Amino acid sequence: MYTVWIATPASAFAGVAAVIRHRTTIVPHHPVATLLTGGAYLLSRNPMYTGLALVYLGLALLFSSWWPLALWPLVIVAVRQLVIRPEEQYLTQRFGRTYTDYRSRVRRWL
């Protein structure tokens, strides 16, 4: 369990660090300067969202709160529909075949 607590925030922080290091943006729906495919992005196309989703789940379990657990699937669907799907469409338009190839190699979440 402690591994999950360390790995999930590490995934989110590694994603943010890569974005900062490559001088692009972490803000959804803003133009990106480069396609990140290394580091945390080798394991997940969305390491920040994956890390935050697992932290959310872990905190709900830690505090033994049922309502965040009940809402978790809705949160995941909302993030996927409202944030990830538009990002993927944008990245496909922006980077074309490079993104399509990356997308075929790396999972969306984990």
Side-chain angles (χ1 to χ4, degrees):
M1 174 142 183
Y2 291 110
T3 304
V4 171
W5 276 104
I6 293 168
T8 55
S11 170
F13 289 129
V16 171
V19 167
I20 292 168
R21 188 172 50 255
H22 288 89
R23 296 187 179 176
T24 190
T25 182
I26 63 171
V27 181
H29 313 295
H30 279 85
V32 297
T34 188
L35 178 64
L36 301 177
T37 59
Y41 292 89
L42 285 171
L43 303 173
S44 169
R45 294 194 314 261
N46 300 293
M48 290 182 279
Y49 302 140
T50 301
L52 293 173
L54 293 174
V55 166
Y56 174 100
L57 184 61
L59 288 172
L61 292 171
L62 180 69
F63 291 109
S64 300
S65 185
W66 66 269
W67 66 267
L69 291 175
L71 291 177
W72 191 69
L74 297 174
V75 170
I76 296 302
V77 168
V79 168
R80 186 171 165 218
Q81 294 300 110
L82 300 174
V83 182
I84 294 174
R85 183 166 285 175
E87 280 182 358
E88 288 180 341
Q89 290 171 348
Y90 166 75
L91 292 171
T92 300
Q93 291 172 351
R94 171 81 166 86
F95 297 105
R97 178 69 183 230
T98 304
Y99 181 69
T100 304
D101 291 344
Y102 170 67
R103 197 173 157 177
S104 69
R105 290 189 320 269
V106 178
R107 292 176 163 200
R108 180 181 283 144
W109 295 95
L110 278 181

